[in-house]
Amino acid sequence: MDAPVLYAELHLANTQGLRCTSPPSPRQDACWGSGWHRVALKLGCVGLILLLMGLSVLVGFLVQKPPIEKCSVAVQENKTEPTVRSTILECPRDWHLHWNKCLFISQTSRPWAEGLADCSLRGATLLLIGDGKELKLLQDFSKGKGQQFFIGLKYVQEDKVWKWMNGSILNTNLLRITGKNEENSCALISHTEVFSDSCSSDNHWICQKTLKRV
Amino acid sequence: MPSSAHLQDPPPLLSRTLTQNEGQTSLRQSSSCGPSAASASESLSGSTESRIPHSKMLQGKLPRNIPLEYPAGLYCCYVVIIVLSVAVVALSVALSVKKTAQISTINTYAACPRNWIGVGNKCFYFNEIPSNWTLSQTLCKEQGAELARFDTEEELNFLRRYKGSSGYWFGLHRESSAHPWKWTDNTEYNNSVSIGGDEKHGFLSDNGFSSGRGYIVRKSICRKPNSYTSQCL
């Protein structure tokens, strides 16, 4: 019985010794190695992320187009539409209703005589202004258009007076002509006043016709 | 492993004395019971078997892992980092070059002031507020310009197209219908385009060139050289 006792003791001692010595060394090596690797990997990842961010920022800058100021002058033309339109009284197309008149605004510029002829062809006459309200309305119209217009008023050298195309003499209380009273002078309405311009100058004009009941 | 076992001989001797005592106590207990003795022998045999595979695994892992993992991963990381770094540097250089080009571009576009229109080496301004010819010229001068003139067909075509249907004062004038037309700098006009009307101040109409009385209010056009040209000169 003593002999088996000795055998058992030897085996146990060997097993315990190996266990005590072998486990710590690989663990320590593994921990040390794995720790270093993890730190390195983290740093690598951070570096890569920073590089990618830098790349995206630079690409954004390159792709961005330089701002170019667009130079343009806006030409605003506000067409004045008729204020009142009844079912009974109508104007032809392209004409504007102003109280009891239909007005046509020329699209081109020509000397006064050509404007007069154009109005005749349309069965109308150059504009005649009857009162101060109508004058104000037309000056506002001129302002909106940014243009000036010949009307049916001309200086007659022989009589030394301004005459309307219907033969009546201008009432200077109604409107005052700014400029020269001399031969070859025709009235040009602007947004502030009525000028005496050369009849041979190029200007737009306004035709009028009396409104007819439909 | 066996060499390490030999080196560890002295400590086991001390541990043997302790384990002997423990062994004796365990044997006494086992002598009383038959099955417990059998289980003890089995556990001993199991431990002996497990020793060998552990040692083999350890021996195998260490040499295999080190050469395989370290170089491959690191090399990949190095390559990627180098590529990205080069890309960043290249983009930085390209961006700096582009900025230089952009600066010159801005100068080119800024040759005419805001709201002025560049044509060739000139700047044109369309004054939309009607005023008489003399005041129009004064307003142009206040901006370092003159009432417009044209030196080339290109400029004339631009003026004609851009003005629309309104009449615009420009730089031609004369003392009377018997005198020749002149520009605002008093150089004589070459009559390349005839001027309608019989007045003393020229304006652009949609019928070509016309003339009117200077006190009439009209829109106007100014012109001056662009600053880019000035800088070059």
Side-chain angles (χ1 to χ4, degrees):
Chain A
M1 294 181 72
D2 291 341
V5 169
L6 288 172
Y7 175 76
E9 287 176 355
L10 285 172
H11 280 283
L12 287 170
N14 288 329
T15 303
Q16 290 178 358
L18 288 172
R19 288 178 181 176
C20 290
T21 55
S22 61
S25 61
R27 289 180 182 176
Q28 288 180 353
D29 291 338
C31 291
W32 181 79
S34 65
W36 181 79
H37 285 167
R38 287 178 183 174
V39 172
L41 282 174
K42 288 181 179 178
L43 289 176
C45 290
V46 170
L48 287 176
I49 290 168
L50 289 175
L51 280 173
L52 287 172
M53 290 176 69
L55 269 176
S56 61
V57 170
L58 287 172
V59 171
F61 280 149
L62 281 173
V63 171
Q64 186 179 5
K65 294 181 180 179
I68 298 172
E69 292 181 356
K70 296 183 177 180
C71 303
S72 64
V73 176
V75 179
Q76 295 179 358
E77 291 187 358
N78 298 323
K79 294 186 176 179
T80 303
E81 294 182 355
T83 55
V84 178
R85 175 172 291 182
S86 67
T87 54
I88 299 173
L89 306 178
E90 284 186 355
C91 289
R93 195 170 69 172
D94 298 333
W95 291 65
H96 303 267
L97 177 63
H98 282 290
W99 294 324
N100 64 339
K101 291 180 181 177
C102 298
L103 303 182
F104 175 83
I105 316 301
S106 77
Q107 297 301 306
T108 186
S109 303
R110 290 290 186 276
W112 184 88
E114 294 188 29
L116 182 63
D118 175 73
C119 292
S120 296
L121 287 176
R122 297 176 189 273
T125 64
L126 280 170
L127 177 65
L128 310 174
I129 298 178
D131 56 33
K133 289 183 180 178
E134 188 172 6
L135 174 61
K136 184 64 170 64
L137 185 67
L138 288 159
Q139 286 178 328
D140 290 344
F141 185 78
S142 170
K143 184 171 186 178
K145 275 282 189 179
Q147 291 172 357
Q148 304 77 41
F149 302 96
F150 276 138
I151 58 177
L153 184 60
K154 184 178 182 186
Y155 187 76
V156 180
Q157 180 69 6
E158 294 79 10
D159 302 337
K160 297 214 180 343
V161 293
W162 288 87
K163 279 189 175 180
W164 295 103
M165 285 297 99
N166 62 3
S168 63
I169 296 175
L170 171 67
N171 176 4
T172 55
N173 292 326
L174 167 60
L175 67 85
R176 184 185 300 273
I177 304 290
T178 301
K180 301 173 183 176
N181 295 329
E182 63 182 30
E183 191 172 13
N184 193 40
S185 295
C186 293
L188 184 75
I189 192 168
S190 77
H191 67 289
T192 52
E193 52 204 314
V194 180
F195 290 103
S196 162
D197 197 6
S198 167
C199 298
S200 55
S201 183
D202 287 345
N203 284 301
H204 295 269
W205 61 89
I206 303 179
C207 306
Q208 80 162 38
K209 63 168 71 176
T210 304
L211 194 53
K212 295 180 179 179
R213 294 177 180 274
V214 176
Chain B
M1 294 298 295
S3 64
S4 64
H6 288 290
L7 292 172
Q8 293 174 354
D9 285 336
L13 291 173
L14 295 174
S15 64
R16 284 179 183 178
T17 57
L18 295 173
T19 54
Q20 285 177 0
N21 293 329
E22 292 178 355
Q24 289 176 358
T25 56
S26 66
L27 286 170
R28 287 178 183 178
Q29 290 177 355
S30 66
S31 63
S32 64
C33 300
S36 64
S39 66
S41 65
E42 289 179 357
S43 66
L44 290 171
S45 66
S47 65
T48 55
E49 290 179 355
S50 66
R51 290 179 189 177
I52 295 169
H54 280 297
S55 64
K56 288 183 179 180
M57 291 176 70
L58 288 171
Q59 289 177 355
K61 285 184 179 179
L62 289 174
R64 290 180 182 176
N65 290 333
I66 293 172
L68 289 174
E69 290 182 354
Y70 284 89
L74 283 175
Y75 291 161
C76 289
C77 289
Y78 290 156
V79 170
V80 172
I81 289 170
I82 289 168
V83 169
L84 287 175
S85 298
V86 170
V88 168
V89 171
L91 284 171
S92 298
V93 172
L95 187 60
S96 64
V97 170
K98 188 169 184 181
K99 281 184 176 179
T100 304
Q102 187 171 341
I103 289 167
S104 65
T105 302
I106 289 172
N107 280 341
T108 305
Y109 282 104
C112 290
R114 180 186 292 271
N115 297 330
W116 289 63
I117 303 166
V119 179
N121 61 351
K122 300 293 190 299
C123 305
F124 291 88
Y125 178 72
F126 289 75
N127 188 350
E128 303 298 324
I129 300 173
S131 55
N132 63 47
W133 190 92
T134 304
L135 179 56
S136 296
Q137 169 69 346
T138 301
L139 292 173
C140 290
K141 280 183 174 292
E142 286 174 358
Q143 302 185 81
E146 300 268 348
L147 275 173
R149 62 181 286 169
F150 56 91
D151 296 322
T152 63
E153 192 75 13
E154 180 191 15
E155 290 178 18
L156 177 56
N157 289 336
F158 161 73
L159 292 175
R160 280 172 162 164
R161 278 198 304 273
Y162 195 86
K163 62 175 276 300
S165 65
S166 297
Y168 283 80
W169 288 127
F170 73 127
L172 283 173
H173 67 109
R174 59 183 175 177
E175 293 181 29
S176 74
S177 55
H179 286 77
W181 287 100
K182 292 181 178 179
W183 295 110
T184 52
D185 62 359
N186 280 325
T187 57
E188 197 161 309
Y189 174 55
N190 62 6
N191 288 309
S192 57
V193 179
S194 65
I195 303 174
D198 54 7
E199 286 298 332
K200 299 190 291 183
H201 298 87
F203 66 92
L204 290 164
S205 79
D206 55 2
N207 191 27
F209 290 359
S210 184
S211 61
R213 294 173 183 173
Y215 55 74
I216 305 291
V217 298
R218 288 186 216 284
K219 300 176 180 177
S220 58
I221 309 172
C222 307
R223 191 194 82 163
K224 63 179 174 179
N226 64 25
S227 57
Y228 190 71
T229 303
S230 302
Q231 288 173 3
C232 288
L233 296 174

